[in-house]
């Protein structure tokens, strides 16, 4: 085993190098790839927030995209219909998502596992159908286009830097939360909720707070999506997107912090690359997913970690 | 409130019958989903795709045998059988290796199948709409209190109770049904007494998928057969199954009734938002009974 300080320094150096590289990207990458990177960051952020409830909280978050979509709709509607300063709109949108997460969480955390997921699925689909149908307010299935985001943010470079800064800050906050005593308790609940309850942990309350935090950061990424794309549409809260987000978590590794970001990077870039050649992109996704479930159930990062641990463990002490 | 004046009693009855025939389709599909969820514990997202496949197969068989009057009837039997055959292959080839996995994995695996099915349908039938006329016997409409009501919908109405009865007989009176119910409660115990659970699961899965195909075949003459059918029906049938109680076939019937009737009645009250009503009702039911109206099988 390596000394803790040393490995921590290595990680820190890696993160700094990564951030500097990301910060310099717009200077040497074509505009399209800058846009793609921003999209990856946005999708990665919502997948990470999903994984907070799913991988760390053990809650079957079947319809997480609702919070993402509502964040996007909230900021778009506020920018279009209210004269509020842009800063307030950007802050209020995630709060709207968090409030929705609180309401839905309040109903859902009474149950666990599949029942939780099913309940969230039904509540989420009610929100989706409302957004989908309420033409006069949300634009119905057309969505809202041409959201008046100030040009210093909505330009490709501007939205990229805005997304980079906001998502890095959000990731740091989520990382801190998950490594705090709160995060440890959350993982204890995931591993054994009965035992956690019997040692005096308020299981439901912790799960509810996690829902709110996860909903909030999903709202943040929804808000970022609007700065990148300039529009909001019902697909952002469709169940299909929720399932795609689950795939991202699974692909990267759903017991790891950076797994969902990696999964999002792979899926979003593959969709762009493969989508350019064939209209049957979803077949590729389906095959990846099946192979993943059969051969890599812990995801890429999880698999690498297992390999790493195995090479360090003494023989005969597999896993 | 001007909308109340437009509602006449015969209009109400007409909407009620429309709702009931919609309920039939929903029940046939949702009961299959519920069966698979209750016994195999697979939240089968691909169920909606099998429904779509059933509709497209029905269209193709009907056009293939279309020259004689029995073409449609052949199609409506062959299409679900085709779907059942495909699901048998999927079960033996893929699912039977995954039974001990978590729900989440199974859900995502079936999602992969759904994506695959969607592209396969696109490859075979293309992206454009198809439509299928009902057989000559069931064309036209009967009048109920001076309002026309399609004959085909009466046919649908008569199918519903038949399917419900068949499912009741299958689960309560046959040996395989009894084994399946026991396996739903404790699968290890059932295999410990020497029953080959694997084949019981396969048959339940195939029956469930057959129902999805049957639903698709039945709905084919009433609407456009198109891409995207899978998405709507899977959402609706999941809601029905959740509201009724996971794995409970009678719950699926109750849920389908609630869903189908609020949908068709909602049109009379507030046409623009009629599709929202069933979703809202399901959520209200779940707020008060989070585990569904009837007892889940597990």
């Amino acid at each position: 085993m390596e000394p803790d300080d040393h490995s921590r320094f290595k990680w820190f150096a890696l993160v700094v190098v990564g951030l500097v590289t990301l910060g310099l990207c717009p200077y040497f990458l074509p505009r399209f790839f800058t846009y793609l990177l921003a999209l990856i960051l946005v999708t990665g952020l919502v997948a990470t927030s999903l994984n907070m409830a799913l991988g760390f909280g053990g809650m079957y978050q079947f319809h997480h995209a609702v919070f993402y979509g509502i964040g996007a709709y909230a900021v778009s509607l506020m920018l279009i219909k209210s004269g509020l300063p842009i800063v307030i709109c950007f802050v209020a949108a995630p709060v709207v998502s968090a409030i929705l997460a609180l309401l839905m969480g309040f109903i859902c955390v009474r149950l666990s596992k599949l029942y939780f997921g099913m309940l969230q699925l039904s509540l989420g689909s009610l929100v989706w159908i409302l957004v989908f149908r309420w033409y006069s307010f949300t634009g119905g299935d057309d969505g809202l286009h041409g959201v008046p985001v100030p040009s210093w943010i909505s330009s490709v470079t501007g939205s990229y830097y805005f997304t980079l800064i906001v998502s890095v800050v959000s990731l740091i906050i989520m990382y801190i939360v998950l490594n705090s005593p709160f995060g440890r308790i959350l993982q204890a609940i995931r591993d054994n909720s009965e035992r956690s309850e019997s040692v005096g942990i308020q299981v439901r309350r912790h799960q509810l707070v996690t829902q709110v935090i996860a909903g909030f950061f999903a709202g943040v990424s929804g808000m970022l999506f609007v700065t990148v794309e300039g529009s909001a549409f019902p697909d952002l809260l469709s169940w299909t997107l929720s399932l795609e987000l689950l795939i991202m978590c699974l692909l990267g590794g759903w017991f790891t912090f950076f797994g969902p970001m990696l999964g999002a990077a792979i899926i979003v870039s593959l969709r762009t690359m493969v989508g350019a050649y064939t209209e049957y992109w979803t077949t590729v996704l389906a095959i990846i997913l099946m192979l993943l479930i059969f051969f890599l159930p812990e995801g890429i990062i999880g698999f690498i970690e297992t390999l790493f641990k195995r090479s360090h463990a003494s023989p005969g002490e597999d896993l | 409130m001007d909308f109340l004046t437009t509602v006449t009693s015969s209009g109400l009855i007409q909407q009620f019958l429309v709702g009931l025939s919609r309920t039939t389709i929903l029940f046939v599909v949702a009961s299959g989903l519920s069966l698979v969820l209750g016994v195999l514990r697979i939240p089968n997202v691909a169920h909606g795709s099998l429904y779509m496949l059933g509709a497209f197969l029905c269209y193709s068989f009907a056009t293939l045998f279309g020259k004689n009057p029995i073409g449609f009837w052949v199609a409506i039997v062959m299409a679900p059988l085709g779907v059942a055959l495909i699901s048998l292959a999927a079960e033996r080839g893929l699912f039977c290796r995954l039974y001990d996995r978590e729900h989440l994995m199974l859900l995502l695996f079936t999602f992969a199948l759904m994506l695959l099915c969607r592209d396969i349908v696109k490859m075979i039938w293309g992206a454009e709409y198809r439509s299928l006329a009902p057989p000559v016997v069931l064309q036209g409409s009967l009048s109920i209190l001076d309002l026309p009501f399609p004959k085909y919908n009466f046919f649908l109405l008569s199918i519903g109770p038949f399917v419900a009865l068949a499912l009741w007989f299958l689960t309560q009176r046959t040996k395989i049904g009894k084994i399946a119910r026991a396996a739903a409660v404790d699968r290890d115990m059932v295999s410990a007494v020497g029953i080959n659970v694997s084949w019981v699961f396969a048959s339940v899965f195939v029956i469930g998928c057959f129902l999805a195909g049957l639903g698709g075949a039945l709905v084919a003459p009433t609407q456009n057969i198109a891409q995207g059918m899978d998405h709507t029906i899977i959402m609706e049938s999941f809601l029905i199954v959740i509201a009724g109680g996971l794995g409970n076939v009678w719950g699926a019937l109750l849920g389908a009734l609630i869903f189908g009737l609020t949908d068709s009645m909602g049109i009379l009250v507030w046409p623009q938002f009629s599709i929202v009503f069933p979703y809202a009702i399901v959520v209200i039911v779940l707020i008060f009974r989070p585990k569904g109206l009837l007892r889940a099988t597990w």
Side-chain angles (χ1 to χ4, degrees), chain A residues 74-98:
Chain A
V75 75
S76 310
L77 286 170
M78 275 188 273
L79 285 173
I80 292 171
K81 307 211 169 173
S82 79
L84 289 170
I86 187 152
V87 181
I88 293 180
C89 297
F90 280 175
V91 175
V95 173
V96 172
S97 288

Side-chain angles (χ1 to χ4, degrees), chain A residues 110 115 122 282-283 289-290 293, chain B residues 101 113 119 239 286-287 296:
Chain A
R110 292 181 293 173
Y115 282 107
S122 20
T282 47
T283 305
L289 185 54
M290 285 182 177
I293 290 169
Chain B
R101 296 294 184 86
L113 289 180
D119 273 359
L239 287 175
L286 288 173
I287 286 173

Side-chain angles (χ1 to χ4, degrees), chain B residues 5-280:
Chain B
T5 57
T6 60
V7 178
T8 59
S9 61
S10 57
L12 206 66
I13 289 170
Q14 192 191 29
Q15 271 320 106
F16 182 73
L17 287 174
V18 168
L20 274 186
S21 40
R22 178 97 189 105
T23 299
T24 307
I25 301 288
L26 290 172
F27 167 66
V28 169
V29 179
S31 61
L33 184 68
S34 196
L35 206 61
V36 173
L37 191 59
V39 179
L40 285 81
R41 311 198 175 184
I42 299 177
N44 188 7
V45 181
H47 202 72
S49 313
L50 297 171
Y51 163 87
M52 178 167 72
L53 214 55
F56 273 103
L57 281 177
C58 183
Y59 166 82
S60 288
F61 282 127
T63 39
L64 195 66
F65 300 108
K67 296 286 181 286
N68 51 62
I70 58 160
F72 176 83
W73 302 107
V74 173
I76 220 161
V77 174
M78 295 274 278
L81 285 177
V83 171
L85 208 64
I86 292 167
S87 68
L88 180 68
E91 204 278 342
R92 287 290 93 184
L94 301 168
F95 281 106
C96 66
R97 293 158 216 275
L98 293 168
Y99 283 140
D100 49 346
R101 296 294 184 86
E102 296 168 72
H103 287 130
L104 186 68
M105 292 288 185
L106 291 169
L107 181 93
L108 287 177
F109 192 78
T110 56
F111 178 55
L113 289 180
M114 173 181 167
L115 294 175
L116 211 56
C117 276
R118 189 177 284 179
D119 273 359
I120 288 171
V121 166
K122 210 199 289 179
M123 281 173 210
I124 298 177
W125 285 280
E128 59 276 8
Y129 286 88
R130 301 296 166 97
S131 55
L132 179 65
V136 185
V137 196
L138 296 174
Q139 276 169 4
S141 49
L142 298 172
S143 76
I144 303 264
L145 300 169
D146 302 331
L147 281 169
F149 191 70
K151 279 184 193 164
Y152 189 78
N153 286 27
F154 279 107
F155 167 66
L156 285 182
L157 286 181
S158 61
I159 288 283
F162 180 72
V163 170
L165 214 64
L167 271 177
W168 172 81
F169 187 79
L170 190 77
T171 52
Q172 306 294 322
R173 287 284 179 270
T174 62
K175 194 175 173 203
I176 189 167
K178 286 175 184 167
I179 296 172
R181 278 189 296 140
V185 178
D186 191 337
R187 118 182 19 168
D188 295 335
M189 199 59 218
V190 174
S191 55
V193 297
I195 293 164
N196 189 349
V197 182
S198 177
W199 274 103
V200 175
F201 278 11
S203 6
V204 170
F205 187 76
V206 168
I207 292 168
C209 296
F210 175 86
L211 287 170
L214 182 65
L218 287 173
V219 87
T222 64
Q223 65 174 59
N224 284 326
I225 307 164
Q227 303 276 323
M229 280 172 81
D230 53 344
H231 188 260
T232 333
I233 194 80
I234 193 61
M235 201 75 236
E236 291 173 348
S237 25
F238 257 115
L239 287 175
I240 287 166
V241 169
I242 297 164
L246 302 188
N248 190 319
V249 172
W250 301 116
L253 180 59
L254 197 60
L257 271 171
I258 293 172
F259 205 96
L261 290 180
T262 42
D263 191 10
S264 64
M265 292 303 175
I267 290 175
L268 299 174
V269 184
W270 198 0
Q272 194 202 342
F273 276 93
S274 65
I275 186 65
V276 179
F277 288 120
Y279 287 77

